[in-house]
Amino acid sequence: MDLNCAVVLVAAIDAGKADSSPPQFCDKLAKINVLIIDDLGLSPLGIGQGYDFLDIVVDRLKGGSTIMASQLSVEHWYQLLRDPSMAVAVLDRLVHNARQLALSGETMRKV
């Protein structure tokens, strides 16, 4: 399974809900050695999607590595996740177990 974009991740979770398989999908994510979520925060997550994201984060703490890339600083994740209590739960699990790299300078994606 190759998920490299948060939008794809959210779409896959929603698709899993449509066919009643979100637990199986989340189980697959939990077993991946390295999960890369790129461009997290391009659009806010719905409340349900935020809770699904929290479930994934919790499951990932049991093993495996997760790499997240976002143009948003952690302080702006509260708007991304919409529910303050859920945002605190996600950030508490991520920030205290993570290495953060803040990049600065010009973009490498010049046209």
Side-chain angles (χ1 to χ4, degrees), residues 20-72:
S20 303
S21 63
Q24 294 85 0
F25 179 74
C26 289
D27 287 345
K28 288 179 185 178
L29 289 179
K31 294 175 185 174
I32 295 172
N33 290 332
V34 178
L35 176 64
I36 300 171
I37 301 172
D38 191 19
D39 284 334
L40 180 65
L42 289 179
S43 61
L45 300 178
I47 297 294
Q49 294 167 335
Y51 281 102
D52 292 335
F53 184 63
L54 173 60
D55 288 341
I56 291 167
V57 168
V58 169
D59 287 345
R60 299 290 305 157
L61 291 176
K62 298 173 189 168
S65 298
T66 306
I67 299 171
M68 291 190 204
S70 177
Q71 294 182 24
L72 297 176

